Amino acid sequence: MDEISEMDRRARAILGANDRGGYTVPTDGLYPYQWNWDSAFAAWGFGRFDPARAWAELETLFSGQWENGMVPHILFHKADPGYFPGPEVWGCKGPLPSSGISQPPVAASFARRIHEADPALGREAMARLWPRFMAWHRWFMTWRTDEAGAVCITHPWESGRDNAPDWDGAMARIDPAGVGEYQRRDTAHVDPHMRPTKYDYDRYIWLVQLGRRLGWDEAAMARENPFRVADPTMTFTLLRACRDMAALGGELGRDTGEIEEWITRLEAGAASLWNEALGSYDSRDVHAGTWSGAVSNASFLCWYAGLENARMLERYDRIAAAVKYAVPSIDPEHPLFDRKRYWRGPVWAIMNALIGIGLHDMGHRRRAEALRRQTGELIATRGFAEYFDPLDGSPAGGGAFTWTAAVWLAWASDSAEQY
Ligand code: GLC
């Protein structure tokens, strides 16, 4: 066996400890089920030393795919009383107990990377997964693009950036009266100052109850859900995933005509997320037609989506210089910046990896390498935390986190494949 570093060994041990047999949990306790984009990152990490296990992670994720193509953001494989809201609150009817919303579609992009590492194994796995990826992406294009072609979320949790300020406007228009009593479980695992507030939580649960009442029917939700926000995370990751599928489809001899059409439409959608007054990509409330007005780490996924933008580079340089550890989840000059609270300030290794890959692909190698090294230093010195304080690097949220370990193995460590 090859010699591996102590950090690589610890990262692999975290993936092993969070493995529940064919899927990983994000971290023991706080998140006891399979999460969609967490699993995609986990697969990327496993791909570094066990490609068969990497494919198993993705196949288990797709075993929860709904008939309409949607891939849920949580699969509740085994009941766990430590998490709220569980399957009984969502009330869904997919092949497995699940939530009724999705998450950023990064899985196909990682599948391409895992395939590159072992094409023979990849060809077999992709023969099964190709139609599944297509159906999921088609679901986004059918149900979740707005007139301009930007991808919209119907619940803040769908974006993966649960309590980002991006959703504040649309959330303020929800009156959560009648949401009833419920018992949060997240604040029993983690310091409440690092988690969303009760104000937000009431609205999260109200939206789940609405979806359930509408039978998670997308047409009904499009009519009745007051929360519909065009999101850079979704739009940029789907655009990237489609580009990766087109490249992979070329190698596998698949017809990629439909994907090319999606790419054109998503490029127009991405352009519609440009907020000229802010000078940045931004989230747009589809019902109210208003911008969020915050430069977030998702704004910097433009390069990952293959879009060049000089003004975003200027923004990036200013924000990266303002903190000790880039990339904070929102601009530190924004009045709502909160260095410890979840998606309102902290640094996330997964977002850094996507931003770094994008910077590198677009030829901004010096910035990409600086970000990769900084992220590596953060993990090596502060551990495999869920997220970190951008001002002093202190670890926050849950510990022994799957996706932080995966990012270490696949991108941030010296032994990683790097880009
Ligand atoms: C939080 C994050 C989300 C992630 C989940 C599991 O809800 O906001 O992005 O998928 O935790 O780690």
Side-chain angles (χ1 to χ4, degrees):
M1 201 181 112
D2 294 344
E3 279 282 309
I4 65 166
S5 73
E6 173 58 15
M7 276 297 287
D8 284 12
R9 194 196 58 73
R10 284 175 55 202
R12 290 188 192 187
I14 288 175
L15 293 188
N18 290 338
D19 189 342
R20 296 290 179 272
Y23 73 96
T24 49
V25 296
T27 189
D28 195 39
L30 180 63
Y31 301 117
Y33 298 113
Q34 183 175 19
W35 261 258
N36 186 322
W37 72 328
D38 296 68
S39 259
F41 281 98
W44 188 29
F46 276 122
R48 296 289 300 154
F49 61 99
D50 188 352
R53 179 62 188 76
W55 288 114
E57 185 81 23
L58 295 178
E59 296 205 34
T60 309
L61 176 64
F62 278 87
S63 70
Q65 185 168 36
W66 288 14
E67 235 168 62
N68 66 0
M70 199 274 279
V71 183
H73 102 293
I74 308 177
L75 298 179
F76 303 108
H77 293 284
K78 278 182 247 156
D80 190 311
Y83 183 81
F84 178 86
E88 63 295 339
V89 183
W90 290 90
C92 294
K93 295 193 189 66
L96 295 174
S98 76
S99 70
I101 57 172
S102 200
Q103 250 188 342
V106 292
S109 295
F110 292 126
R112 181 182 176 200
R113 284 166 182 266
I114 300 160
H115 176 270
E116 273 163 13
D118 184 343
L121 191 64
R123 188 169 270 275
E124 257 176 60
M126 280 309 293
R128 294 186 294 274
L129 284 170
W130 179 270
R132 300 243 176 194
F133 282 127
M134 289 298 287
W136 188 25
H137 295 175
R138 195 177 293 118
W139 173 84
F140 277 114
M141 298 309 296
T142 308
W143 295 111
R144 295 306 189 76
T145 47
D146 71 354
E147 277 173 15
V151 183
C152 304
I153 56 168
T154 58
H155 189 297
W157 290 344
E158 212 160 33
S159 71
R161 298 182 297 124
D162 301 23
N163 69 327
D166 301 52
W167 331 126
D168 287 2
M171 289 282 267
R173 287 189 288 106
I174 293 173
D175 173 5
V179 73
E181 291 293 314
Y182 60 90
Q183 172 87 47
R184 276 175 78 164
R185 299 293 155 90
D186 58 322
T187 44
H189 297 284
V190 166
D191 178 349
H193 293 103
M194 298 177 181
R195 298 290 306 177
T197 58
K198 170 158 170 56
Y199 170 94
D200 282 325
Y201 235 82
D202 280 352
R203 286 161 178 78
Y204 297 150
I205 302 305
W206 186 88
L207 283 168
V208 172
Q209 293 170 348
L210 173 72
R212 182 193 178 129
R213 210 162 48 241
L214 299 176
W216 300 104
D217 176 69
E218 290 296 333
M221 300 225 288
R223 279 193 309 271
E224 294 187 38
N225 188 338
F227 187 96
R228 199 168 186 87
V229 183
D231 168 32
T233 339
M234 283 290 188
T235 308
F236 290 145
T237 55
L238 185 60
L239 179 46
R240 171 68 185 234
C242 288
R243 295 196 203 280
D244 285 323
M245 285 282 283
L248 192 51
E251 274 175 53
L252 299 174
R254 300 273 180 168
D255 179 3
T256 57
E258 190 181 4
I259 304 175
E260 300 297 345
E261 283 170 26
W262 294 341
I263 290 173
T264 306
R265 188 160 160 67
L266 290 166
E267 283 175 341
S272 82
L273 295 177
W274 181 258
N275 176 347
E276 181 58 31
L278 185 66
S280 174
Y281 288 106
D282 194 3
S283 301
R284 181 165 43 72
D285 182 331
V286 173
H287 291 313
T290 48
W291 295 108
S292 102
V295 183
S296 71
N297 48 359
S299 309
F300 297 121
L301 294 177
C302 54
W303 302 295
Y304 183 69
L307 305 171
E308 191 46 281
N309 189 299
R311 289 176 71 191
M312 289 309 299
L313 276 182
E314 283 168 28
R315 291 271 164 292
Y316 180 83
D317 289 343
R318 176 178 61 75
I319 290 178
V323 292
K324 183 149 187 246
Y325 294 101
V327 180
S329 31
I330 65 168
D331 184 345
E333 284 179 11
H334 193 283
L336 292 174
F337 174 78
D338 182 343
R339 59 196 284 191
K340 293 265 192 267
R341 201 181 291 276
Y342 220 33
W343 292 96
R344 290 181 178 250
V347 176
W348 297 73
I350 52 145
M351 295 297 281
N352 282 8
L354 302 183
I355 294 167
I357 289 172
L359 282 168
H360 182 268
D361 286 355
M362 298 305 279
H364 308 301
R365 304 272 160 101
R366 187 184 49 77
R367 291 178 179 89
E369 192 51 18
L371 183 60
R372 195 181 75 80
R373 291 199 170 280
Q374 231 176 53
T375 310
E377 183 198 313
L378 200 49
I379 300 172
T381 56
R382 306 308 181 95
F384 298 94
E386 184 177 8
Y387 44 94
F388 303 88
D389 181 329
L391 302 184
D392 65 11
S394 26
F401 227 83
T402 293
W403 65 14
T404 310
V407 164
W408 171 265
L409 290 170
W411 183 67
S413 89
D414 286 340
S415 64
E417 74 186 25
Q418 304 200 356
Y419 293 100

